[in-house]
Amino acid sequence: MMRWQMRRRLMCLLSALDIWVKGIVQGVGFRPFVYRLAKRYLVNGWVLNGADGVHIHAEGEEKLVDEFVLAISDSAPAAAQITEIEMHEVPIEGYNSFEIRTSDASAEGEHTLVSPDLATCADCERELFNPEDRRFRYPFINCTNCGPRFTIIDSLPYDRASTSMCEFKMCDECAAEYANPVDRRFHAQPDACFDCGPCVSWYVPSGLSDSGDAEELRSEASQPSLRPSGSSDAVFAAAVDMLCDGKILAVKGLGGFHLVCDANNAQAVAELRRRKRRPAKAFAVMCSRLDDVRAICQVNDSERKLLEGSQRPIVLLRKLPGIKTPKGIADGLPELGVMLPYTPVQHILLNDFCAAYSRLRAKDAQRSGQGTNVPMLVMTSGNLHDEPIVINDEETYEKLAGIADAFLGNNREILSRFDDSVVRVINTGDSDAIQFVRRARGFAPMPISLPPSQVSREDDSVIFATGPEQKNTFTFVRGADAFVSQHIGDVENAETFDAWLQAKARYEKLFDLAATALACDMHPEYITSKWAHEQSEKCGLPLTLVQHHHAHIVAAMAENGLSDAVCGIAFDGTGYGPDGAIWGGEVLLSNLSAFERFANFAYVPMPGGQACVKHPLRMAYGILWEFDLLEHPGAQLALQALGAEQAKVCETMIENGLNTPYTSSVGRLFDAVSALLGICTEPTYEGEPAIMLEAAINFTTSENSNNAAYEIAVVKNTATAQSTAQDTSVVLLDAEPAIRALLDDFAAGVAVSIIARRFHDAIVDAVITVAQLVAATYDIRTVVLSGGVFMNRYLIEHALAAIQREGFTVAINRDLPPNDGCISLGQAIVASKS
């Protein structure tokens, strides 16, 4: 009798749960992690990958099963992102062990997420350089904690057969690791070694045209050589020899090719610029280790975590004062874009190059006088000007033939195109924040989670937002998940638009996304907007047209979980306004579905339209004409570079309304000031005048005298009978007093660096002024800042500090760039509220 009672009591202490884990839980070592937890907590049952996440059946003592579930939530792998755990009590089935089961592709109605690619982990890096390890210097070493993910996945569930690793059959040793639940490579889908995995290739064309033109690859070219197991050292030795000789390589990474050269070799850098037709835009560099980075740049703890983390983006770091950085990399700029190696190929290449670099500097007096003592490599996207990064080896041989002297590739196919992410750490007052410049590898396709207040459509709806034309991303919104694509680029040419279509198709396939509604920019001539109109008509899908700057503000609201009305300040270069003008200096009273235009910078003419972007002195002329300052001595001095003939052309265009749109753009105002001060009159890349204007500030210290301040005046706007709250503001921001004071200083010989800082401070003061006006008029005390102008470190940090000093709540883009890379998210949110 007692035995029966004891047995019943023990049975009552047992429980069984079916557990469903949602989020980024595939390709991050989640199943072996669960297996190890099950062994620790004496839990029996199974775990498997489904098309909708990870499923677990757990049986054991009730207290231990509860602790098992808590451990899943609290100690998941670093690369995993759990969004939800569902549990259901179920009958005990009597399992006497725990196993990892074959993936289940039958689940319907729900969807799983996919991990971004992960940088080589510390364990794999140790093995990579351990002569006793069988993967010593294997260029594709990985485990469940690191390696390629999204860029090699063809379909879900995430199993080897569904990736570009499917053609590589594991050897017995790798298969044993793969099948061993306690091994770090248990179910690591890209697992491989010299005997069974991908191998590097080395291709040196027989010669390249001296002209550097991509189409002139000589007909007699050697074929790429795939190196068999154990012989990749010869490839890396040849690559390092060429880098030390000042040559340029194309090196295959996770999401595409890089163009690579010795960053300390000024001749090599200059030749890369000539061949790539990139005369001035800064290059990113890759250093071997953190200590090397600290030898040339300031690195705080937040920046260190980014450099060494699993995403490994390019981090824009402030150069150390007085430290000489390599010529031609980021000349005249206060920041340097730096990253650490994130693939085994990069680790080996940097390791070998650093050793060779030290030897060369020791024996070559001329070389030791160049560059720095820090070995580093230029790592820039492998693409032709304005085209997407190349990912296919054969295509690379053709497209980059006039740029690269040799090609270090491999036979593992890249299925998704990804550039490197670019970030900086900014000071928000009480803490640091990451500001994205470009969101791509390491972060996409991780979705942005939306609170319920930001999604209004039915649960089964899928909104597709096409994004803008420049710095394009697209967004799918399904339920609480916003899938914002990786950076696509400027979809103004056929090649980039094709890449946009390919990326869209891959998201649709992997995440089972079929659009039920569309959103696009209201600009009628954007390629993405034209596509949206065509698809709406063809497929009968509702289409929401979203104003560009409203999308900016809504994106930042969504990233910060805001839904109530805000004072949205959107400063950028170009955005189509409802009145047909070019907007770009906007203060909007905004919620998630609608906006009113409270203030804007006063319109100024753009003689020649887009020609003003390429020739900012034309923009300067238009501003001076509008403000009646052409006869000012400072203006006369500044416009000498424009020339009398061009000045007459600009005057004629403005006065006759010939190709002269009007704009409120703050971006164009920055361009004009940069040109007036002689800082940048003929830009070679988008945003260069404003970037160099900010850089000029670094040559002076701040002033405390209010007498030196420039003023952006506030004047009441005038409405017409046709005016609406969307196209006509309450007040105007008049830059005339600031430009007049600037010209006074310029004519008086005040240092350009001081003038540049005073102009920036005037913009900050204008931000505070309009925030105070909105608060006084509407009692709205939440300020949202977005737009490409806020990519300016000085401007954003000083604006944040000033806004917070005035007692406002302030929000900025945190998950996406403030530039047009955030527009598609804003479009999707507005459409969801329509």
Side-chain angles (χ1 to χ4, degrees):
M1 183 74 172
M2 269 183 73
R3 183 176 296 175
W4 179 85
Q5 289 176 331
M6 181 65 72
R7 184 179 177 191
R8 180 178 179 90
R9 183 181 176 191
L10 289 172
M11 289 177 64
C12 289
L13 294 175
L14 298 178
S15 69
L17 292 177
D18 277 350
I19 304 165
W20 178 14
V21 187
K22 306 176 186 179
I24 297 178
V25 289
Q26 295 195 22
V28 293
F30 204 85
R31 288 178 297 171
F33 156 73
V34 171
Y35 178 91
R36 290 190 292 271
L37 286 184
K39 292 299 184 183
R40 181 189 306 171
Y41 292 102
L42 305 178
V43 168
N44 296 326
W46 48 260
V47 60
L48 62 78
N49 275 345
D52 55 354
V54 167
H55 292 268
I56 305 164
H57 178 79
E59 297 182 359
E61 186 179 329
E62 185 175 5
K63 177 176 179 294
L64 292 176
V65 170
D66 290 345
E67 291 176 353
F68 168 72
V69 174
L70 285 173
I72 290 173
S73 175
D74 294 342
S75 56
Q81 288 215 353
I82 296 174
T83 57
E84 186 178 355
I85 298 178
E86 280 192 19
M87 295 175 292
H88 301 281
E89 291 189 12
V90 294
I92 295 172
E93 298 182 33
Y95 288 94
N96 55 18
S97 64
F98 195 89
E99 65 180 7
I100 294 179
R101 290 188 168 180
T102 304
S103 296
D104 175 19
S106 63
E108 296 181 357
E110 291 287 345
H111 314 274
T112 195
L113 303 177
V114 180
S115 166
D117 292 5
L118 305 172
T120 305
C121 69
D123 289 331
C124 283
E125 186 180 349
R126 279 190 292 270
E127 292 174 351
L128 183 66
F129 293 111
N130 178 7
E132 304 302 318
D133 195 274
R134 74 186 189 92
R135 292 188 178 85
F136 175 54
R137 293 176 62 87
Y138 178 54
F140 304 94
I141 190 171
N142 67 88
C143 69
T144 54
N145 300 316
C146 68
R149 295 294 188 271
F150 190 71
T151 56
I152 64 168
I153 293 175
D154 182 57
S155 62
L156 293 174
Y158 175 58
D159 283 318
R160 193 182 186 96
S162 302
T163 73
S164 58
M165 287 294 294
C166 62
E167 63 183 84
F168 300 101
K169 183 180 179 181
M170 289 185 189
C171 66
D172 290 344
E173 285 189 87
C174 287
E177 293 170 336
Y178 184 88
N180 182 357
V182 297
D183 195 283
R184 200 175 82 252
R185 293 186 171 87
F186 179 60
H187 281 227
Q189 305 307 332
D191 186 25
C193 69
F194 280 110
D195 292 331
C196 64
C199 49
V200 293
S201 62
W202 181 243
Y203 175 46
V204 183
S206 62
L208 293 171
S209 168
D210 291 338
S211 71
D213 291 337
E215 62 270 20
E216 293 193 20
L217 176 65
R218 294 186 183 175
S219 58
E220 297 296 328
S222 61
Q223 292 300 310
S225 169
L226 290 177
R227 300 290 177 172
S229 61
S231 67
S232 61
D233 282 352
V235 169
F236 288 103
V240 169
D241 284 346
M242 294 193 78
L243 289 171
C244 290
D245 197 34
K247 302 299 184 185
I248 299 164
L249 303 184
V251 180
K252 193 173 183 180
L254 288 175
F257 277 80
H258 286 105
L259 288 165
V260 182
C261 73
D262 178 0
N264 286 295
N265 188 322
Q267 290 79 18
V269 173
E271 183 62 16
L272 175 57
R273 289 197 176 280
R274 185 186 73 81
R275 294 183 189 179
K276 203 171 190 284
R277 298 170 187 168
R278 181 170 167 161
K281 190 175 183 180
F283 282 137
V285 299
M286 181 175 282
C287 293
S288 178
R289 56 200 181 100
L290 184 63
D291 285 347
D292 286 345
V293 181
R294 284 183 164 143
I296 54 174
C297 293
Q298 303 174 49
V299 182
N300 65 26
D301 194 54
S302 298
E303 291 161 338
R304 177 193 62 78
K305 290 177 180 177
L306 285 166
L307 287 167
E308 295 188 322
S310 63
Q311 292 97 352
R312 297 281 172 108
I314 296 169
V315 184
L316 296 179
L317 301 171
R318 285 158 292 194
K319 297 175 183 175
L320 284 174
I323 294 294
K324 183 176 68 171
T325 53
K327 182 180 178 182
I329 300 299
D331 294 347
L333 298 176
E335 295 178 321
L336 179 66
V338 185
M339 58 180 162
L340 294 178
Y342 57 84
T343 72
V345 167
Q346 293 167 356
H347 277 287
I348 296 170
L349 187 63
L350 263 293
N351 177 80
D352 294 2
F353 174 75
C354 289
Y357 183 83
S358 299
R359 292 193 300 269
L360 281 172
R361 287 185 71 86
K363 71 177 185 179
D364 189 336
Q366 182 179 359
R367 182 181 292 268
S368 63
Q370 293 186 18
T372 71
N373 290 321
V374 178
M376 62 185 89
L377 296 175
V378 169
M379 286 270 177
T380 189
S381 297
N383 63 330
L384 299 177
H385 185 65
D386 287 339
E387 290 190 12
I389 188 170
V390 290
I391 61 175
N392 176 274
D393 290 61
E394 295 296 331
E395 180 187 21
T396 303
Y397 303 149
E398 177 184 348
K399 287 207 165 189
L400 301 184
I403 304 177
D405 297 308
F407 300 80
L408 202 172
N410 63 67
N411 59 342
R412 185 178 68 198
E413 187 179 1
I414 296 172
L415 300 182
S416 290
R417 193 185 314 267
F418 269 75
D419 289 280
D420 292 314
S421 293
V422 183
V423 303
R424 66 155 59 94
V425 175
I426 60 172
N427 186 340
T428 63
D430 56 353
S431 64
D432 288 339
I434 297 173
Q435 183 185 64
F436 280 89
V437 177
R438 183 170 71 198
R439 180 181 180 269
R441 177 191 52 76
F443 297 95
M446 196 178 297
I448 295 170
S449 295
L450 304 174
S453 61
Q454 293 175 351
V455 181
S456 300
R457 288 181 178 267
E458 302 81 5
D459 289 341
D460 59 349
S461 68
V462 176
I463 299 165
F464 177 65
T466 64
E469 190 158 84
Q470 292 187 317
K471 296 179 177 63
N472 179 273
T473 65
F474 58 73
T475 294
F476 285 95
V477 168
R478 177 180 58 208
D481 288 329
F483 296 88
V484 183
S485 76
Q486 67 271 30
H487 167 84
I488 304 296
D490 298 348
V491 289
E492 298 169 311
N493 58 59
E495 292 83 3
T496 309
F497 185 62
D498 286 345
W500 183 87
L501 291 170
Q502 291 164 9
K504 170 180 168 290
R506 184 153 295 277
Y507 275 68
E508 288 170 333
K509 177 180 179 180
L510 287 177
F511 302 119
D512 191 22
L513 297 163
T516 59
L518 302 173
C520 71
D521 195 282
M522 63 166 44
H523 197 302
E525 294 303 316
Y526 280 180
I527 292 175
T528 50
S529 297
K530 290 181 177 180
W531 179 92
H533 282 280
E534 291 170 1
Q535 291 298 307
S536 173
E537 184 174 345
K538 176 181 176 182
C539 303
L541 298 176
L543 174 62
T544 302
L545 306 184
V546 183
Q547 200 281 322
H548 187 90
H549 300 93
H550 187 214
H552 265 300
I553 299 305
V554 171
M557 291 176 68
E559 294 170 56
N560 290 275
L562 301 174
S563 56
D564 293 336
V566 301
C567 170
I569 301 177
F571 291 169
D572 65 0
T574 300
Y576 187 80
D579 58 355
I582 299 172
W583 288 16
E586 310 309 314
V587 181
L588 308 179
L589 307 177
S590 174
N591 60 26
L592 298 176
S593 60
F595 73 92
E596 293 183 4
R597 196 183 195 191
F598 176 77
N600 61 273
F601 272 75
Y603 285 139
V604 292
M606 294 179 66
Q610 278 297 103
C612 287
V613 180
K614 295 183 178 180
H615 307 287
L617 276 173
R618 297 177 73 118
M619 188 70 243
Y621 186 96
I623 289 173
L624 297 174
W625 183 92
E626 182 67 25
F627 294 158
D628 197 21
L629 291 172
L630 285 170
E631 301 304 318
H632 189 290
Q636 295 283 302
L637 180 65
L639 289 178
Q640 286 178 1
L642 181 64
E645 184 178 343
Q646 282 299 309
K648 184 62 179 177
V649 169
C650 290
E651 180 185 30
T652 301
M653 295 181 82
I654 295 171
E655 292 184 349
N656 292 280
L658 300 173
N659 190 22
T660 302
Y662 274 70
T663 184
S664 60
S665 169
V666 175
R668 298 289 80 82
L669 186 60
F670 269 80
D671 289 352
V673 169
S674 183
L676 284 172
L677 298 179
I679 294 172
C680 182
T681 59
E682 293 294 326
T684 61
Y685 62 90
E686 191 244 344
E688 184 179 6
I691 290 170
M692 299 311 295
L693 180 64
E694 181 196 2
I697 298 173
N698 288 276
F699 297 100
T700 187
T701 56
S702 61
E703 295 175 317
N704 295 319
S705 172
N706 291 327
N707 295 330
Y710 298 164
E711 179 193 6
I712 306 289
V714 177
V715 297
K716 185 171 177 55
N717 199 6
T718 303
T720 69
Q722 291 76 37
S723 295
T724 70
Q726 285 69 48
D727 61 29
T728 303
S729 59
V730 178
V731 296
L732 294 174
L733 297 171
D734 183 5
E736 189 274 343
I739 299 300
R740 182 183 295 275
L742 181 151
L743 293 173
D744 290 342
D745 281 350
F746 189 60
V750 175
V752 165
S753 56
I754 293 176
I755 298 174
R757 186 193 49 73
R758 290 175 178 173
F759 174 73
H760 279 75
D761 290 344
I763 301 297
V764 172
D765 291 344
V767 167
I768 301 305
T769 298
V770 292
Q772 292 170 333
L773 283 172
V774 168
T777 308
Y778 300 100
D779 196 27
I780 295 173
R781 299 196 61 81
T782 299
V783 179
V784 175
L785 306 178
S786 188
V789 168
F790 290 110
M791 299 295 301
N792 181 313
R793 182 195 286 271
Y794 183 96
L795 188 66
I796 187 65
E797 290 185 341
H798 283 74
L800 288 172
I803 292 169
Q804 291 175 92
R805 280 198 302 270
E806 296 297 322
F808 291 96
T809 299
V810 62
I812 58 175
N813 297 94
R814 294 182 180 271
D815 301 307
L816 298 172
N819 61 35
D820 283 5
C822 74
I823 289 291
S824 65
L825 175 63
Q827 291 173 348
I829 299 299
V830 173
S832 76
K833 308 301 272 188
S834 299

